[in-house]
Amino acid sequence: MGVSTFFLFVEGRAASHDVSKVLETVPGVKVIYRLKELEEQQAKGRIWNETWLSSFFYKPCNYELFVKQSLNMEMAIFMAREASLDWIIHLETDELIHPAGASEYFLRQLLSDVPGNVDMVIFPNYESSVERDDIKEPFSEVSMFKKNHDHLPKDTYFGNYEEAICGNPNYFLTYGNWKSAARIRDHLRPNGTHRWHNYMKTPNEVKLEEAAVLYCTYPKFSDLTSRHDQCGCKPTKEDVKRCFMFMAAFIIASTVTEEEMLHWYQERIMWTDEALKLKLLRKGILTRIYTPMVIVHGLRESGVFSSVIAASQKFISSVKNSNSSMTAGVVSSRKIGHGGESQATARRGLQISDEASIFSAIPPVSS
């Protein structure tokens, strides 16, 4: 799709040995761990002085995540400038860019067609519409999405709103405020986790009429059952309001049996009414998007995924055999995960020279 560089900010399971050793061998991927060095650098960031983010400081769960992502975005801007990149987009691991409207489904072509005076490009978000409760791999099993209202005629959106929300309080289960790509300009800064802004001017932005961000919202039943493991808050509306923006999911996950949870999931998350689906598909509120599914299937069947994993295992094994002394020299300070377990592997020693700039990068300093 024309993306040259990925900055992956990882912690927890994503920073585990089995996962990270694969990520680090993928061309174009830079893995950044939430280590002491990174936290010390981010503590100096200009973003801590911004009033627009201050209401999220020192709060748990979703709010803590929001601050972490904003700090990561600030760091990524600096790293993108150092790498002479042209554009930057912030995506989470349950989201996909859908560059509809570009020739050959090519994101680089989509952005190259944007006039030079445009600073930001808005991608309206589409939300996954799950049709089964046994999905294992959303990107290759989910094909139906609910369109953002910005890609719908107003009369269609408002005229079918009640049917489109399926008993939920809002049109989307989670967010509806789009995502954006920004040109790497002087004074660029995050504006929440979905957008960008500029310290010195109001950015010139355009909204794409076809392209979108595909957001897979609770596509697996296990996404719901794991909600109660994400924080230690009590399952009450008062307590949960401090933590989650879609409170119902956490309350349900914490207060009912798995059977009751499955019933709620099937009623509120899944789309099982065939007549309603057909109606909303005909209206254009729901849409079928198969391209990501085809791409993922093609990569899997061609052996790309398995070959990357195999190559990483072979690569790490060779380093363990030939470079154990360097490994011992860099492992002691690499503590990752809630339990602080040492990741005593060759992966950091192996790429320390290539990625040294990541850990020595200095974020924007307050003026």
Side-chain angles (χ1 to χ4, degrees), residues 16-288:
S16 67
H17 172 259
D18 288 344
V19 176
S20 61
K21 72 179 181 181
V22 175
L23 296 176
E24 289 185 348
T25 59
V26 179
V29 169
K30 302 292 183 183
V31 183
I32 303 98
Y33 298 88
R34 182 152 290 280
L35 304 176
K36 183 180 179 180
E37 295 97 321
L38 178 66
E39 292 180 343
E40 288 176 348
Q41 291 165 21
Q42 291 186 338
K44 304 172 186 176
R46 181 175 180 176
I47 208 169
W48 289 103
N49 299 324
E50 299 302 319
T51 56
W52 58 269
L53 187 62
S54 60
S55 63
F56 288 82
F57 293 159
Y58 313 115
K59 291 183 179 180
C61 304
N62 270 183
Y63 298 94
E64 180 183 10
L65 175 63
F66 189 90
V67 173
K68 279 185 181 180
Q69 290 180 330
S70 298
L71 290 166
N72 292 344
M73 291 168 70
E74 184 179 57
M75 179 69 77
I77 291 171
F78 178 83
M79 295 167 67
R81 289 179 65 91
E82 289 288 289
S84 300
L85 302 181
D86 298 315
W87 292 87
I88 187 168
I89 304 172
H90 173 236
L91 288 180
E92 298 178 53
T93 53
D94 52 8
E95 296 171 327
L96 294 174
I97 283 285
H98 175 54
S103 59
E104 300 181 4
Y105 208 70
F106 203 56
L107 179 60
R108 186 177 295 182
Q109 181 64 51
L110 187 75
L111 295 175
S112 68
D113 291 339
V114 174
N117 66 332
V118 172
D119 302 302
M120 297 181 197
V121 174
I122 305 300
F123 291 82
N125 61 300
Y126 290 9
E127 190 174 80
S128 62
S129 299
V130 182
E131 300 172 85
R132 308 192 331 260
D133 58 23
D134 61 348
I135 288 174
K136 303 299 182 185
E137 172 45 59
F139 292 159
S140 60
E141 296 182 60
V142 175
S143 65
M144 190 168 74
F145 294 85
K146 186 188 291 184
K147 284 186 177 182
N148 191 287
H149 64 85
D150 277 319
H151 281 183
L152 294 170
K154 286 186 177 180
D155 58 342
T156 299
Y157 173 72
F158 288 109
N160 298 275
Y161 184 86
E162 290 300 322
E163 289 183 299
I165 64 175
C166 285
N168 291 303
N170 299 303
Y171 181 72
F172 283 143
L173 293 171
T174 50
Y175 76 88
N177 58 343
W178 325 301
K179 288 225 165 176
S180 67
R183 288 189 197 272
I184 303 300
R185 306 274 205 201
D186 290 341
H187 313 297
L188 182 66
R189 69 163 175 86
N191 185 26
T193 60
H194 294 186
R195 306 287 286 275
W196 309 88
H197 209 274
N198 192 290
Y199 283 114
M200 302 303 292
K201 68 171 187 175
T202 299
N204 180 23
E205 62 182 31
V206 297
K207 190 177 297 179
L208 298 175
E209 296 299 323
E210 297 181 73
V213 166
L214 307 181
Y215 179 34
C216 290
T217 308
Y218 304 113
K220 299 182 291 184
F221 178 57
S222 60
D223 292 333
L224 178 62
T225 58
S226 64
R227 286 271 94 178
H228 60 79
D229 296 326
Q230 296 188 11
C231 79
C233 299
K234 297 176 182 178
T236 64
K237 289 185 178 180
E238 293 73 21
D239 219 47
V240 174
K241 190 178 293 184
R242 301 184 305 114
C243 306
F244 293 100
M245 297 165 192
F246 186 45
M247 296 184 293
F250 178 73
I251 293 174
I252 289 295
S254 304
T255 59
V256 304
T257 66
E258 186 163 329
E259 183 179 349
E260 292 171 318
M261 209 184 305
L262 179 59
H263 176 74
W264 185 89
Y265 184 85
Q266 292 170 337
E267 186 178 73
R268 294 298 187 92
I269 307 294
M270 285 176 55
W271 289 73
T272 56
D273 187 330
E274 296 298 327
L276 179 59
K277 282 195 295 185
L278 182 59
K279 176 182 178 180
L280 296 183
L281 282 166
R282 286 173 173 170
K283 293 282 187 178
I285 293 175
L286 297 178
T287 184
R288 293 284 183 186

Side-chain angles (χ1 to χ4, degrees), residues 326-335 342-346 348-349:
M326 180 165 62
T327 301
V330 299
V331 161
S332 59
S333 65
R334 306 307 186 199
K335 303 289 187 180
S342 174
Q343 299 295 327
T345 70
R348 298 311 311 159

